[in-house]
Amino acid sequence: MNRNSTLLALILALGAVLRIAHLAGLWGTLALKVPIIDSAYYHARALDLLAGKGGEEGIFFMSPLYPYVLALFYKLFGPFPQTAALFQMLGGVALIYMVYLLGRRLFSEPVGLLAALLAALYRPFVFYEGAVLSAVLILLLNTGALLLLTAPPHRPRRDLLAGLLLGLSALARPTALLFAGALAAGFLFLPALGKRARAAWLLLGVVLVLLPVAGRNYRSGGEWVLTTAGLGMNFYVGNNPEAQGDYWEAPFIRSAEPQYENSDYRLEASRRTGRELGVAQASRFWLGQGLAYIVSRPLDYLELLARKFFLFFHDTEIPNNLSLYAAQIYSPFLRYLPLTFGLVAPLALAFGLLRRRRMAIPPLVTIYFCSYLAATLLFFASSEYRLPVMPVLLILAAAGLVELWHTAKAPPRVRFALLLVLAAGLALPLNMPTSFTTTRANPRMDFFNLGSTLLKQGRHEEAVVPLQRALIIDPAFVDAHIALGDCYSSLGLRQEAIVEFERAGLDAQREIRLLDAERTFNEAQAKAQQGDIPEALKIYRQGLELNPEAPAYVFFNMAYLSLLTADTTRAMEYLDEAGTADPQEERVPFLRGLIHENRSEWFPALELFLQSLRLNGNFHLARAHAALMHLNLGDRGEAGKLIEPLVGQRFQDADLAALVEDIADRVGF
């Protein structure tokens, strides 16, 4: 083994030891054991896949690749978030090696070794390797594509394989398509990048991955969507009158959790247009809203762009799902890793600006970096979305250090001084805290989200501590006071709950009464699941005495239970109450439709099923029953149009699968 091989082995070993130390500190903590927001979504989808329930129904809203990878990890070594973290730590060590290979290929052996060392010590890499998010998967796919694209001599199969990797990356986050498109254009119009045929092979690889997904989206939701239907929403999040450059939570969504974002953005788009919109139609609506803001307020938009540009280059790791700053509290070892964006970026940028011909940056690398910068400017700034540029920046920073070493030994050292002064000059603004970046580095939201997740899971005792920590950081955090009051109330600590509700500025007695009603409703649901329908209805009515303005699901459940006791009149009354409580609840007209269907009243049943489908275009049971009503009315053509998107799909509900198969046979599919 030569000297360079020994150094590389030592760097890889160092990277592995550092990651093991971080994982050991994080292993038993709630920060790893309890996934939140996107992590919770990915974890739940992976568990569904393991259970044979299939993936997300309808058009994909969240990027679909990561849950499948996660499900594979879970199948091999157990369905726990720690499993994902362990595999991602191994992926992190592999990434260090890939950075070495890329740095050596682009510049030299010393640059490759130094870049690998920087990757081993880079704090955000280690943080994301311990999070149930797609960040590490994207890093591996993108870096693999860069290695293939830069490998001499250029061969079609390498470009094809690079396209396949970028297509997979787009299924983990669609921003990879910006790079694929920009690079294909570069192949066509920049002779320095190589032959034009490379564009065709690259795009062919991307299309081979994405075309089946687009077909699946059409079959599931009736609309052609290449990857996911979140484009318009994400564009509007980053481009609206209230946007500040990072993720903006719209006031009309119940939560930033994906399942609420999807439905609430669609419902709000439907409300604003006055007609029911599908997922892809809603995406186009929000894209139009973002563009309308840009056109109507160009000066504000330019200011917003400048802020996004600043945030992209600032040292602060802007959280979108999970915060590095909270992870540092749970795993103190993480904060001792020395390398941050604010140290890497100034040196990388200084080298890029003062590079010599013998160490020129390949145009392909520039296109890659600019593509991800453009993604931030198009949407919003986020640590996780910036992360894919880091292999390139680490290599450029390593090249800058090597250049400093060489110029320091060669009088008159003018270039050494220029590089050092420029790097220091860039470091000042990129590391200078502002009120905005200081707020974003505050981990209060992580503790609040963790506490809220535990609260929803009924783990009230465990939820208390993270909520208290959120309030230690920000004593005026109203939502945390409310959530902590909920915890105390559920634990029987009524006086403590009253104090928290009063600190939140609420009517404490009313909040206690509403929580008592919610617990009563939960008790009623438990009775219903045990099969004691009369007792369940009795307990539901007791809950209504505490909270007559109960949420729609309570009245819907009571309607369903009333139908089980053959009390159709009372069921209709409860459905009226449910519709008043939530006019967008698609199950209300559906259940009404079933009542009419059971009476053989085909036409009113059809109208109600179609109303339900307008409220939720992915409500497959409503679609199937509407098709059945068309058949009963003798209209096979309309029945066929309705049932076509469901034909060939796998459903978790055996009754739905049988109904779809029966209708498909009757209409001739």
Side-chain angles (χ1 to χ4, degrees):
M1 181 179 290
N2 60 33
R3 179 172 174 272
N4 289 335
S5 298
T6 302
L7 287 173
L8 178 60
L10 289 173
I11 291 169
L12 293 173
L14 174 64
V17 169
L18 295 176
R19 282 149 178 78
I20 291 169
H22 169 58
L23 189 57
L26 201 62
W27 191 263
T29 67
L30 291 174
L32 180 57
K33 292 166 63 178
V34 182
I36 61 174
I37 314 179
D38 286 5
S39 296
Y41 177 88
Y42 291 136
H43 179 68
R45 292 288 75 75
L47 294 180
D48 286 345
L49 290 168
L50 276 183
K53 297 180 180 179
E56 184 179 342
E57 292 187 352
I59 294 172
F60 285 128
F61 179 73
M62 291 288 286
S63 299
L65 179 63
Y66 186 61
Y68 284 90
V69 175
L70 206 55
L72 176 62
F73 293 163
Y74 287 175
K75 184 175 181 63
L76 292 174
F77 292 97
F80 310 106
Q82 292 95 323
T83 302
L86 181 60
F87 271 95
Q88 289 174 177
M89 294 289 177
L90 294 174
V93 176
L95 179 65
I96 295 170
Y97 181 68
M98 294 169 76
V99 168
Y100 158 74
L101 292 177
L102 188 59
R104 184 181 67 176
R105 178 173 299 159
L106 295 179
F107 294 107
S108 65
E109 182 76 23
V111 170
L113 289 169
L114 190 51
L117 178 61
L118 298 181
L121 299 174
Y122 189 58
R123 190 184 304 170
F125 276 178
V126 180
F127 162 63
Y128 281 109
E129 289 159 15
V132 185
L133 292 169
S134 59
V136 176
L137 177 62
I138 292 168
L139 281 168
L140 292 170
L141 291 169
N142 285 15
T143 310
L146 290 174
L147 281 169
L148 287 165
L149 290 165
T150 56
H154 301 308
R155 294 196 173 101
R157 66 173 180 270
R158 287 178 180 160
D159 292 333
L160 177 65
L161 185 53
L164 292 172
L165 292 180
L166 290 176
L168 290 171
S169 181
L171 293 182
R173 187 174 302 125
T175 45
L177 294 178
L178 282 174
F179 171 55
L183 184 57
F187 285 143
L188 291 174
F189 302 110
L190 296 177
L193 281 173
K195 297 178 180 179
R196 293 183 174 183
R198 297 191 69 186
W201 288 107
L202 178 75
L203 293 179
L204 177 60
V206 174
V207 169
L208 286 174
V209 173
L210 298 187
L211 194 58
V213 177
R216 177 261 173 212
N217 281 335
Y218 179 76
R219 291 192 302 273
S220 299
E223 298 175 272
W224 287 102
V225 176
L226 195 58
T227 55
T228 64
L231 170 67
M233 184 211 79
N234 283 312
F235 186 75
Y236 182 73
V237 164
N239 301 280
N240 69 79
E242 305 299 323
Q244 298 186 53
D246 61 343
Y247 176 83
W248 169 78
E249 187 171 328
F252 51 78
I253 65 172
R254 288 165 285 177
S255 167
E257 295 165 292
Q259 61 269 33
Y260 295 121
E261 278 189 322
N262 186 10
S263 60
D264 291 351
Y265 266 96
R266 185 183 60 79
L267 290 173
E268 179 65 13
S270 299
R271 186 189 69 79
R272 294 190 187 188
T273 58
R275 60 188 179 90
E276 182 58 28
L277 299 179
V279 175
Q281 291 173 316
S283 179
R284 289 191 290 271
F285 170 81
W286 291 114
L287 179 62
Q289 292 293 292
L291 291 172
Y293 158 74
I294 293 171
V295 171
S296 64
R297 300 172 66 170
L299 294 180
D300 290 345
Y301 176 63
L302 288 175
E303 182 180 344
L304 179 61
L305 277 182
R307 180 185 286 262
K308 292 179 187 179
F309 187 85
F310 170 74
L311 292 176
F312 181 86
F313 287 103
H314 197 270
D315 179 61
T316 304
E317 299 293 336
I318 305 286
N320 183 35
N321 285 282
L322 305 173
S323 166
L324 178 148
Y325 306 103
Q328 291 177 165
I329 296 173
Y330 282 104
S331 174
F333 174 81
L334 191 61
R335 76 171 73 106
Y336 296 123
L337 290 174
L339 213 56
T340 64
F341 186 88
L343 294 176
V344 173
L347 189 56
L349 293 173
F351 171 76
L353 293 171
L354 296 178
R355 63 190 181 278
R356 286 182 174 177
R357 185 178 298 275
R358 67 181 179 82
M359 296 188 75
I361 300 172
L364 185 148
V365 172
T366 303
I367 290 172
Y368 179 77
F369 177 83
C370 291
S371 297
Y372 278 90
L373 172 58
T376 292
L377 298 178
L378 278 171
F379 299 103
F380 51 86
S382 162
S383 166
E384 188 181 351
Y385 298 169
R386 178 177 70 183
L387 196 69
V389 306
M390 290 316 302
V392 166
L393 284 188
L394 289 168
I395 291 168
L396 295 182
L401 289 172
V402 170
E403 180 77 356
L404 278 173
W405 172 257
H406 287 309
T407 54
K409 297 188 298 180
R413 301 185 178 87
V414 174
R415 186 170 178 81
F416 170 80
L418 280 174
L419 190 57
L420 200 60
V421 169
L422 182 56
L426 288 169
L428 288 175
L430 299 193
N431 288 274
M432 183 181 297
T434 68
S435 58
F436 184 88
T437 58
T438 301
T439 301
R440 296 315 185 263
N442 188 322
R444 66 167 197 155
M445 281 305 301
D446 277 69
F447 290 118
F448 172 73
N449 288 331
L450 177 58
S452 298
T453 299
L454 292 166
L455 181 60
K456 291 175 185 176
Q457 295 175 355
R459 299 161 65 176
H460 303 106
E461 289 187 26
E462 292 175 281
V464 168
V465 171
L467 290 171
Q468 288 176 334
R469 295 183 85 161
L471 287 168
I472 290 171
I473 296 169
D474 182 3
F477 194 175
V478 171
D479 288 343
H481 282 298
I482 295 172
L484 187 56
D486 288 356
C487 286
Y488 285 148
S489 176
S490 299
L491 293 169
L493 304 172
R494 299 179 75 87
Q495 190 55 46
E496 287 85 348
I498 289 171
V499 169
E500 294 302 325
F501 290 137
E502 288 177 345
R503 286 174 176 168
L506 300 176
D507 181 340
Q509 295 300 330
R510 179 178 180 275
E511 292 300 316
I512 294 291
R513 188 172 66 255
L514 293 178
L515 288 171
D516 288 342
E518 186 177 343
R519 280 191 288 275
T520 304
F521 296 143
N522 291 337
E523 182 185 350
Q525 183 61 22
K527 286 290 183 184
Q529 291 171 349
Q530 295 167 8
D532 193 346
I533 306 304
E535 183 65 16
L537 284 167
K538 177 183 175 182
I539 297 173
Y540 268 125
R541 285 191 283 270
Q542 291 172 356
L544 287 176
E545 292 176 5
L546 293 169
N547 180 17
E549 299 178 355
Y553 80 87
V554 171
F555 294 109
F556 178 84
N557 290 349
M558 295 179 74
Y560 181 75
L561 295 176
S562 297
L563 281 180
L564 294 180
T565 62
D567 190 347
T568 305
T569 303
R570 184 62 64 86
M572 284 295 201
E573 292 174 358
Y574 287 137
L575 285 174
D576 289 339
E577 294 283 356
T580 301
D582 184 2
Q584 302 296 329
E585 174 55 76
E586 66 268 16
R587 296 178 302 170
V588 171
F590 175 75
L591 196 55
R592 283 200 182 109
L594 286 181
I595 293 172
H596 286 288
E597 181 182 331
N598 290 334
R599 294 172 177 171
S600 299
E601 297 169 354
W602 312 131
F603 189 76
L606 172 61
E607 290 300 312
L608 288 163
F609 291 140
L610 290 175
Q611 180 186 346
S612 180
L613 195 58
R614 285 192 295 271
L615 290 171
N616 181 0
N618 293 323
F619 194 176
H620 299 324
L621 200 56
R623 179 180 293 275
H625 277 274
L628 181 62
M629 294 306 98
H630 273 301
L631 275 178
N632 292 341
L633 290 167
D635 192 342
R636 290 181 60 191
E638 287 299 319
K641 291 178 184 178
L642 277 170
I643 207 65
E644 182 180 7
L646 304 185
V647 175
Q649 285 198 55
R650 294 172 56 191
F651 297 104
Q652 303 168 21
D653 186 337
D655 292 335
L656 172 60
L659 179 59
V660 170
E661 184 178 357
D662 176 62
I663 296 170
D665 288 341
R666 291 170 64 182
V667 299
F669 279 106

